[in-house]
Amino acid sequence: MLRGKKVGLRARHDEDIPVLRTELYDDVVNGSRAGSAAWRPITPGSKDPRLVVDDSEPGHVPFSVVELEGGTLLGTATLWGIDNHSRAAHIGLGLLPACRGQGYGTDVVAVLCHYGFVVRGLHRLQIETLADNHAMLRSAERNGFVREGVLRSSAWVMGEFLDEVLLGLLAQEWKPKAP
């Protein structure tokens, strides 16, 4: 398990799947805001990649996020779009509604940075988020990410186009936080 100050990132367990399906992916509004495709329901027992991990996919590393104290499931975190040639990847995370606003997101981003830069030896990490996702913007910037641009009206979300913010962090700019 990868450890931060408040959270741990571990492999997905079978018992995580019903919680993640119900609390993250069955929510049409949050599911629409989190994904790049139109929301659709996930059938029970489905092998949907948002839930079931395919360990043979080298460019996508999903984690379950748990609270260090007690092991409670908090959500998901992912390093995706991993490009081993350019040594770059994207960061994504989704916290269960009851776990938002408690500083977990900032810690998840810090742990993903450690995984990307130290464990994987990457050079660049990138985040794309909706311009009104203030929690993700704060979590990224608290970890040293720099706003690199705005993708105007690039995301179709629940009947309207929204701007996305592109943030980046290079390995030499990263300042790891003490555990």
Side-chain angles (χ1 to χ4, degrees), residues 2-9 65-68 74 93 95 102-114 139 142-143 177-179:
L2 297 167
R3 297 175 183 274
K5 291 180 181 178
K6 301 170 82 169
V7 304
L9 304 186
V65 179
V66 296
E67 191 173 35
L68 282 179
L74 303 173
L93 66 100
L95 295 175
Q102 299 175 45
Y104 294 128
T106 299
D107 202 29
V108 170
V109 172
V111 177
L112 285 171
C113 287
H114 172 82
S139 293
R142 286 178 179 156
N143 279 285
K177 307 217 182 333

Side-chain angles (χ1 to χ4, degrees), residues 57-61 79-91 115-116 120-126:
E57 172 55 52
H60 182 246
V61 183
L79 202 67
W80 62 276
I82 300 169
D83 178 342
N84 289 319
H85 177 72
S86 296
R87 295 177 45 209
H90 303 258
I91 284 179
Y115 178 70
R120 298 293 298 242
L122 299 176
H123 173 69
R124 175 186 167 79
L125 294 175
Q126 183 170 308

